[in-house]
Structure formats: C-alpha cells, structure tokens
Amino acid sequence: MKLSFEELLEEGGHFEGDFAFTEDDMKVTVESFSADFIPTDSGLFLDISFSYSYETPCARCLELTKGFGRQTAGIQLMQQSLEDVKEEAELTDDDMGVCWIEEDEIDLHEIVRQEVAFHLPLRLVCGEDCKGLCPKCGENLNTGSCKCKEETDPRWSGLDKLKNN
C-alpha cells in the first residue's frame, strides 16, 4: 500500500488491511493491521497495531509448527533526501524509533512487514519436549525410536567392564 508523505503530512490518515508474506521458510499472515498517521512538527507519527499468525518447520523435528501474535508500535517518520546525508553516522537510542523517508512515497505494507518480522521468533520448536531427528537416519524421535544401534566411544570401554561386574 503506497501512500504520499506530503498528503499525510497535511491531513493525517487511518488505514486498515491484511496481507501475507514469506520470511525465510516462515509463512506469515498479517490477519489485520490498523495504522494511524498523525502529523507532528518534525514529520509524521505512525501508530500501528497488528495481529499475525505464522507457520514454519520445527527447528528440531521439521514438523509444521504454528504460532500467532499481536503487537503495537509507534514510529516517527521523517523525510530526508539522500543529498542531505553528508556522511555515515552512528545511530543512537533516540534513532531507533525513527524511519527516514527519502522520497514522497511511504510503503505501509513494508513498514508493517518489518515490524512483524522483528517480533517473529528466531527459532521455533513444536514443543519444549521435542526430541528432534536422529542424527544418523533422520527418523523423527517424537513418533518413535529409530533402529540405529547406539555406538559407544571405544575410549569408554573400560567403564563398560566395570559396569558388567
């Protein structure tokens, strides 16, 4: 959803919607979002709330795993052309809630996508007790045991003799 920075600077605006995207191997559905643009002295303030769901393979056993979330965010949108940027500068804590707009166009879906991606888990497992896959044969250890013979390190064979006595 492309919006004009200048028009929003004059009037503000309220927008709602939904969309879906893929982030790495995760399918994400933004089930709903609400965005309010509020003109300020330094640009625009964007107040957004969104709910989302996602599905991705479990990081241990590769079974499809689902999750959901609901978040709100506030972002200061400020316009700055590339000519105004003279050199690289280190970001400070005050810069973290600022989004610089280089042209007149604001891509609202992209801003919401970035906010959702920020809140997605880095590594998702189907459950805390997930046993994962057998490293030798690839069998899902949650559905049963594999047929692989457990190998012991020959350096520990002396302890096996003690155990059997």
Side-chain angles (χ1 to χ4, degrees), residues 14-15 25 27-28 35 39 41 51 61 71 105 109 115 126 143:
H14 176 79
F15 300 92
D25 60 350
K27 293 178 186 173
V28 182
D41 292 339
S51 60
C61 70
Q71 298 290 330
E105 190 175 85
H109 281 178
E115 286 296 316
C126 59
T143 59

Side-chain angles (χ1 to χ4, degrees), residues 7 34 60 65-66 74 85 87 95 100-101 103 105 120 144 148 158:
E7 288 178 18
S34 174
R60 293 182 191 159
T65 305
K66 298 179 180 185
V85 179
E87 59 186 57
D95 297 324
W100 293 98
I101 306 298
E103 298 178 13
E105 190 175 85
L120 292 172
C148 296

Side-chain angles (χ1 to χ4, degrees), residues 126-140:
C126 59
E128 291 299 317
D129 59 342
C130 178
K131 297 174 184 173
L133 302 175
C134 172
K136 291 183 183 175
C137 69
E139 179 75 27
N140 185 343

Side-chain angles (χ1 to χ4, degrees), residues 88-105:
E88 288 187 24
E90 186 173 329
L91 294 176
T92 64
D93 288 341
D94 294 338
D95 297 324
M96 291 298 127
V98 176
C99 180
W100 293 98
I101 306 298
E102 296 173 7
E103 298 178 13
D104 184 50
E105 190 175 85

Side-chain angles (χ1 to χ4, degrees), residues 22-35:
T22 302
E23 186 75 20
D24 296 326
D25 60 350
M26 191 177 295
K27 293 178 186 173
V28 182
T29 302
V30 179
E31 295 167 352
S32 67
F33 72 86
S34 174

Side-chain angles (χ1 to χ4, degrees), residues 52-66:
Y52 57 94
S53 61
Y54 53 88
E55 56 183 45
T56 186
C58 171
R60 293 182 191 159
C61 70
L62 303 179
E63 291 293 321
L64 190 62
T65 305
K66 298 179 180 185

